[in-house]
Amino acid sequence: MAERSGVKRLPEGTDWRKWKKEKKEEKKKWKELKLLRKLEKQRMQQLAEKQKEEEAPKKDEGRHYTVSVALPGSILDNAQSPELRTYLAGQIARACVIFCVDEIVVFDEQEEDSKTVEGEFEGVKKRGQGCVQLARILQYLECPQYLRKAFFPKHQDLQFAGLLNPLDSPHHVRVDEESKYREGVVLARPTKPGRGSFVNCGMRKEVQIDRQLEAGLRVTVRLDEKQYPDSKTQKGTVVSSHHPRTVSGLYWGYSVRLASCLSSVFAECPFKEGYDLSIGTSERGTLVDQATLPPSFSHALIVFGGLQGLEAGVDADPNLEVTDPSTLFDLYINTCPGQGSRTIRTEEAILISLSALRPKIVEAVKKS
């Protein structure tokens, strides 16, 4: 019979089963090789995309502006008992944390000559140091609970502070709560040469930082992403206290500053460029609805008066020759027009004013 064209015949004596098996294995190898090439191509594409993403500018998640609040310490003198003085300070702390205030300045309008918190409350019926007590309670509440024993020894000003509502700020991290940053205190523990200090960050394990620091310091620690579960300690890096805000956009509590008078609030500003937006609050000011914030600012300051308004602070300041408080500020506003009460307490004014100014601040930041 004639051989069909195009059909390859096996040589005589060939084991066709063996030949078929070899062809099958050869075909399988080619398929595997083709699959490997395809996977390698996909891997190279993924690497190229990842490299492209890393080279692309990352979205800035940080908040680069600050909001400061200034108020007189004499507002505590309006409270009728030590418990109410403490509760009033707690209300102010809660209001500032709710609206993400970065700095609280307590200024003196009664010539108490209080520049540090190293003082004692002398009693409600006597002329006490309201500035000192207010500043101390504000600092106590801002400090995470697991660090308070290290920084706040027993003090009469803090006698009732344990009854206050907690701030529950983002930096008040719980023991088993995951957080990129933590506040800690440097421990007096010996370390090996070339190794960093140990820090208590309120976790089940201590954190070893990247440098040697003096024991007793309060530090902000950024925990390493890769941790070893079997290790006795965790690893972290010390960063500045404003790093969580400027890099990750987290609210990380407030700082407290004492000012000897109203003018010192401006003169002793901790920022190099000073406050580029100052706002005074008064019932004699312009309606807040008509106020417009500048499109760009770095450090905003909102100043509140005491029982007698900002006029009392201006009159008591030996460095000021003006009589009209509005001349001291970029904006002088009334945040609660048509008020139904003759007076608005300072702790109420903070909530009202920050509520009214928050959308205006957000709008100004978006424009910038």
Side-chain angles (χ1 to χ4, degrees):
M1 185 182 291
E3 183 179 340
R4 293 182 182 180
S5 60
V7 179
K8 186 177 180 181
R9 297 179 65 88
L10 295 176
E12 293 183 5
T14 304
D15 188 349
W16 67 273
R17 287 190 178 90
K18 186 178 179 181
W19 177 84
K20 191 175 181 180
K21 187 178 180 181
E22 290 175 353
K23 284 292 182 181
K24 196 174 181 180
E25 290 178 355
E26 187 177 352
K27 191 176 181 180
K28 186 179 179 182
K29 286 181 181 179
W30 275 106
K31 282 185 178 180
E32 290 177 352
L33 184 62
K34 189 177 180 181
L35 181 62
L36 288 173
R37 287 176 179 173
K38 187 178 180 180
L39 291 173
E40 181 66 18
K41 188 177 180 180
Q42 290 178 352
R43 191 178 70 85
M44 294 300 293
Q45 288 178 350
Q46 290 174 355
L47 286 174
E49 290 175 1
K50 187 176 180 181
Q51 187 176 2
K52 196 174 182 180
E53 289 177 359
E54 290 177 353
E55 291 176 356
K58 294 183 179 179
K59 183 180 179 181
D60 188 4
E61 298 179 351
R63 175 168 65 89
H64 300 283
Y65 68 91
T66 64
V67 177
S68 300
V69 163
L71 70 161
S74 60
I75 62 172
L76 291 192
D77 296 335
N78 195 38
Q80 289 79 20
S81 66
E83 294 90 340
L84 291 176
R85 288 172 72 97
T86 304
Y87 185 72
L88 174 57
Q91 285 182 294
I92 293 170
R94 285 281 304 173
C96 290
V97 166
I98 288 171
F99 288 97
C100 299
V101 171
D102 303 292
E103 180 194 28
I104 303 177
V105 187
V106 181
F107 64 90
D108 183 8
E109 64 174 8
Q110 293 185 344
E111 301 179 2
E112 292 180 3
D113 193 26
S114 302
K115 295 183 179 180
T116 68
V117 295
E118 300 301 323
E120 291 187 6
F121 170 50
E122 299 175 359
V124 175
K125 295 182 180 179
K126 301 178 182 178
R127 185 175 178 178
Q129 288 184 308
C131 295
V132 173
Q133 187 182 18
L134 177 57
R136 182 178 283 112
I137 295 173
L138 291 175
Q139 287 179 336
Y140 177 84
L141 291 175
E142 186 276 336
C143 183
Q145 288 87 336
Y146 57 86
L147 295 180
R148 288 175 181 172
K149 286 185 178 180
F151 295 108
F152 294 92
K154 192 174 181 180
H155 197 281
Q156 187 180 357
D157 287 354
L158 303 174
Q159 182 180 0
F160 303 103
L163 302 176
L164 295 176
N165 298 319
L167 301 186
D168 207 16
S169 186
H171 67 298
H172 289 198
V173 191
R174 293 161 179 80
V175 176
D176 297 319
E177 185 179 352
E178 291 187 3
S179 177
K180 187 176 181 180
Y181 304 95
R182 277 184 177 264
E183 290 292 293
V185 56
V186 180
L187 301 175
R189 273 188 54 188
T191 58
K192 296 180 181 179
R195 300 287 185 89
S197 302
F198 291 98
V199 177
N200 173 21
C201 290
M203 306 168 68
R204 300 189 186 279
K205 296 180 181 180
E206 294 173 354
V207 179
Q208 190 168 28
I209 56 178
D210 58 330
R211 65 187 75 176
Q212 281 283 346
L213 293 176
E214 183 182 352
L217 287 178
R218 177 176 169 176
V219 291
T220 303
V221 179
R222 182 184 62 206
L223 299 175
D224 294 350
E225 293 183 2
K226 293 183 179 179
Q227 300 287 351
Y228 299 98
D230 298 333
S231 177
K232 293 182 179 180
T233 60
Q234 295 207 30
K235 300 294 182 181
T237 305
V238 174
V239 296
S240 62
S241 58
H242 58 76
H243 189 276
R245 171 180 60 83
T246 56
V247 176
S248 301
L250 296 173
Y251 176 62
W252 211 245
Y254 55 78
S255 60
V256 181
R257 177 165 65 91
L258 278 169
S260 58
C261 54
L262 182 57
S263 60
S264 296
V265 174
F266 299 90
E268 299 171 2
C269 175
F271 309 109
K272 291 182 180 180
E273 57 271 31
Y275 301 112
D276 50 0
L277 174 60
S278 58
I279 302 173
T281 59
S282 172
E283 60 181 2
R284 302 171 184 83
T286 307
L287 297 183
V288 67
D289 299 333
Q290 302 173 1
T292 303
L293 271 60
S296 62
F297 65 90
S298 298
H299 307 291
L301 172 67
I302 306 169
V303 184
F304 297 90
L307 298 175
Q308 301 174 354
L310 285 171
E311 288 79 6
V314 172
D315 294 340
D317 195 324
N319 303 318
L320 296 177
E321 297 179 356
V322 299
T323 56
D324 185 4
S326 62
T327 59
L328 301 175
F329 306 99
D330 299 322
L331 295 173
Y332 197 61
I333 59 176
N334 179 6
T335 56
C336 188
Q339 62 192 58
S341 174
R342 291 189 182 90
T343 57
I344 295 179
R345 298 172 65 89
T346 304
E347 65 272 22
E348 298 167 342
I350 292 175
L351 284 170
I352 295 169
S353 300
L354 293 178
S355 298
L357 290 171
R358 189 193 69 83
K360 295 183 177 294
I361 292 174
V362 172
E363 184 181 356
V365 171
K366 284 183 179 179
K367 289 180 180 179
S368 65

